[in-house]
Amino acid sequence: MCARGCLLLDFATEGLRTLMVAYRELDNSFFSAWNKKHSEACLSLENRENKISSVYEEIEKDLMLLGATAIEDKLQDRVPETIITLNKAKIKIWVLTGDKQETAVNIAYACNIFDDGMDGLFFVEGKDNETIQQELRSAIDEMKPQPLPESDPINSCFTRKPKLPFRIPEEVPNGNYGLIINGYSLAYALEGNLELELIRTACMCKGVICCRMTPLQKAQVVELVKRYKKAVTLAIGDGANDVSMIKAAHIGVGISSQEGTQAMLNSDFAFSQFQYLQRLLLVHGRWSYNRMCKFLSYFFYKNFAFTLVHFWYSFYNGFSAQTVYDTWFITFYNLVYTSLPVLGLSLFDQDVNETWSLRFPELYEPGQHNLYFNKKEFVKCLVHGIYSSFVLFFIPMGTICNAVRSDGKELSDYQSFSVIVQTSLLWVVTMQIALETTYWTAISHYITWGSLGFYFCILNFLYSDGLCLMFPNVLQFLGVARNTLSLPLLWLSVALSVVLCILPAVGYQFLKPQFCPFIVDKVIDRIHRMKHSLPLPSQTKLKHSSTRRSAYAFSHKQGFGPLITSGKFMKSKLPKKRHFSFQK
């Protein structure tokens, strides 16, 4: 028996799921008596679990061992490495599973969600509100032992009745901790004031394991995070029991597996292996966020610069609502002249390539804090647009004021002024988007400079003699393009306007990384300084656990039955009257 025990221990230390096979011969009289006790224990209304356990103990002894099986429960390729990379990007990972607690904890250690270097693990296993509240508060006290002052925003959220909905602020623990909670305890923790303590405790932990959960509870946990945290949730699963969680999250990801295609059909994204999640987030997700922010910033800027010119012009036209530009230029500005360059920017731009994106997960951080487009960035676009509109109006105004041609004729007419302003505007917004573009392709060059060239083609076509004579009521700028574009004064005005409008943007992009850099600026500067050939992303060295954990199968653990029949998770989440209190 000792040899068999050593063999089972070897199997367990290798990470195999082991199962012992044994038998016992029973006579009819013993089995009849035992079966009667078993029936009585199953029908008992009080202390049923203990009675059934004691009945099982009577028959599960004096067994003859036949042998043992060892099954390899292998993770998908590069799952631990993927989780390490996501942790470096400051993405919190919660495991919502129906597995038993021991199995879930072993998987968490195998995937590097938990490690031996953590300061502690908190187990929430209470069966009533008081016990669960005490376990959660003791966890909070250990992670933040010092009491919160009255002026602390965290304390104010829980000691006063907040206006719903409200967000729980971020708290920094004094170490790395993990939280494990089972489905039965979670049914109590998801109601009343306990849900606030649960979300506060869980968000301070490095990793969270929710085990023995029903599919509905998975969705409830996702909704809890969405309700109280300013965060974007992503749920990933491979089975039909994950569908409710996938649909509840902001982003749902399905993995194709042998459990069916229900998760894939109900998800926003689908792929075959978990390791592709890091490319979805760190590469394509980050590129998409950067492109969208550049698109919005440029779109607001070009329209502010275009529209606010009329504000300055209104002081000269007696507030008569006369437009600065030709009506055809107003029609084509957003439809033709500036549509393709911003579209190309939002489709092809990359600040760094995919290899560097995976090697430096810290580049993902600006998207989590929404640093590239927020109220502050919108105000910057507005100020830049106001400044540009000021330059675009007064530089051409000062250029043609009292100016004459070489033949002595005056230049200061409305039509020539309009052509100079709109030409300067197109050059400014084109140079601005060229400054924003960090990844140039043949398509980018074609649509950026081609749109500018197309403007001059349309300008000469619409203001040509033949077309203006054919439609005199529609096209009234007869010969203006030919006469104005041939003037050196126009190109001097355009060049001066472009320099004055682009100079603040160039200065800001140069000075900001020097005096107020983000972590992304430091990483990109480090990338630019690497003059040697691009190395491949280094393989993450996994820190294996120093102590092996058992992988024996756990058969006599509480399942879903008592949780479902109790009806706890079907109760309403919020009572009519709520009072939030967190008193030490």
Side-chain angles (χ1 to χ4, degrees), residues 33-89:
W34 180 86
N35 191 32
K36 183 179 180 181
K37 293 180 181 179
H38 181 263
S39 300
E40 293 175 354
C42 291
L43 297 175
S44 176
L45 298 179
E46 296 181 359
N47 203 14
R48 181 187 302 173
E49 294 182 6
N50 292 336
K51 292 180 179 180
I52 293 177
S53 179
S54 61
V55 171
Y56 283 150
E57 289 292 337
E58 292 182 8
I59 199 171
E60 293 179 350
K61 61 182 180 179
D62 300 328
L63 300 174
M64 180 65 69
L65 181 64
L66 293 179
T69 62
I71 302 174
E72 183 180 13
D73 189 10
K74 186 179 179 181
L75 294 171
Q76 289 186 347
D77 294 336
R78 297 187 59 81
V79 170
E81 292 87 349
T82 300
I83 291 178
I84 290 177
T85 303
L86 296 179
N87 283 331
K88 290 180 179 179

Side-chain angles (χ1 to χ4, degrees), residues 4-21 65 67-73 103 106 549-555:
R4 295 189 184 97
C6 294
L7 188 60
L8 290 173
L9 183 60
D10 293 338
F11 287 156
T13 54
E14 291 296 328
L16 304 177
R17 289 182 179 267
T18 59
L19 179 66
M20 298 177 63
V21 182
L65 181 64
T69 62
I71 302 174
E72 183 180 13
D73 189 10
T103 305
N106 281 340
R549 288 173 175 78
S550 173
Y552 288 98
F554 301 92
S555 58

Side-chain angles (χ1 to χ4, degrees), residues 112-183:
N112 287 317
I113 297 176
F114 293 163
D115 57 72
D116 289 335
M118 299 179 68
D119 297 293
L121 294 178
F122 304 116
F123 291 86
V124 180
E125 300 175 327
K127 299 295 180 65
D128 54 74
N129 289 334
E130 292 75 14
T131 305
I132 296 172
Q133 186 177 33
Q134 183 179 0
E135 291 174 340
L136 291 174
R137 289 190 175 180
S138 62
I140 293 175
D141 292 339
E142 185 172 345
M143 288 186 287
K144 296 194 73 174
Q146 66 278 10
L148 294 175
E150 293 294 332
S151 60
D152 193 281
I154 304 291
N155 195 30
S156 62
C157 280
F158 294 103
T159 56
R160 296 198 302 266
K161 186 176 181 180
K163 297 181 181 179
L164 294 178
F166 79 102
R167 304 293 183 182
I168 297 178
E170 291 292 335
E171 298 180 82
V172 180
N174 56 7
N176 291 328
Y177 298 91
L179 177 67
I180 299 99
I181 182 171
N182 59 55

Side-chain angles (χ1 to χ4, degrees), residues 302-558:
K302 73 183 182 69
N303 282 286
F304 284 143
F306 168 77
T307 306
L308 293 177
V309 170
H310 294 91
F311 172 75
W312 311 110
Y313 185 56
S314 62
F315 292 99
Y316 292 85
N317 63 10
F319 299 93
S320 61
Q322 183 184 14
T323 60
V324 178
Y325 315 108
D326 178 24
T327 54
W328 287 101
F329 179 81
I330 297 175
T331 303
F332 289 149
Y333 179 73
N334 279 313
L335 186 64
V336 178
Y337 298 148
T338 61
S339 60
L340 287 181
V342 71
L343 182 62
L345 178 71
S346 61
L347 291 178
F348 304 112
D349 194 57
Q350 304 174 14
D351 54 349
V352 294
N353 59 32
E354 60 182 82
T355 304
W356 291 116
S357 297
L358 294 175
R359 185 173 180 181
F360 296 99
E362 300 86 354
L363 294 171
Y364 188 76
E365 186 176 351
Q368 295 172 309
H369 302 287
N370 197 22
L371 298 179
Y372 289 162
F373 191 81
N374 46 41
K375 294 179 181 178
K376 182 179 179 181
E377 295 298 323
F378 178 80
V379 172
K380 290 180 183 178
C381 294
L382 177 60
V383 172
H384 191 196
I386 294 174
Y387 168 76
S388 297
S389 66
F390 182 87
V391 172
L392 288 170
F393 178 80
F394 285 101
I395 292 297
M397 175 65 73
T399 301
I400 68 171
C401 183
N402 299 324
V404 295
R405 303 174 187 269
S406 58
D407 55 1
K409 295 182 180 180
E410 291 188 358
L411 266 176
S412 54
D413 61 276
Y414 165 73
Q415 294 179 339
S416 299
F417 174 73
S418 176
V419 171
I420 295 176
V421 172
Q422 64 190 35
T423 303
S424 301
L425 173 65
L426 257 299
W427 270 100
V428 166
V429 296
T430 301
M431 296 303 296
Q432 180 66 33
I433 199 170
L435 189 64
E436 293 288 338
T437 303
T438 55
Y439 181 71
W440 287 94
T441 63
I443 298 177
S444 301
H445 283 288
Y446 179 77
I447 60 179
T448 301
W449 310 118
S451 297
L452 185 61
F454 186 71
Y455 159 74
F456 288 103
C457 295
I458 293 295
L459 187 68
N460 285 281
F461 175 72
L462 292 178
Y463 300 164
S464 60
D465 297 344
L467 203 62
C468 289
L469 293 176
M470 291 174 60
F471 306 100
N473 295 328
V474 180
L475 303 172
Q476 301 175 355
F477 280 49
L478 176 63
V480 176
R482 180 179 63 254
N483 295 331
T484 306
L485 295 179
S486 61
L487 296 174
L489 203 61
L490 175 138
W491 299 108
L492 177 63
S493 174
V494 169
L496 186 59
S497 299
V498 169
V499 171
L500 292 178
C501 289
I502 298 300
L503 191 61
V506 174
Y508 178 79
Q509 289 192 4
F510 175 76
L511 296 177
K512 180 180 172 295
Q514 305 295 327
F515 297 100
C516 187
F518 293 142
I519 187 173
V520 177
D521 298 323
K522 299 178 182 178
V523 173
I524 293 179
D525 182 66
R526 179 182 172 186
I527 292 173
H528 290 165
R529 291 183 180 182
M530 292 181 178
K531 303 233 187 209
H532 53 78
S533 60
L534 184 66
L536 294 175
S538 58
Q539 299 290 334
T540 306
K541 295 183 179 180
L542 300 181
K543 295 181 179 179
H544 294 285
S545 175
S546 58
T547 58
R548 295 288 187 175
R549 288 173 175 78
S550 173
Y552 288 98
F554 301 92
S555 58
H556 299 306
K557 287 291 180 180
Q558 188 178 26

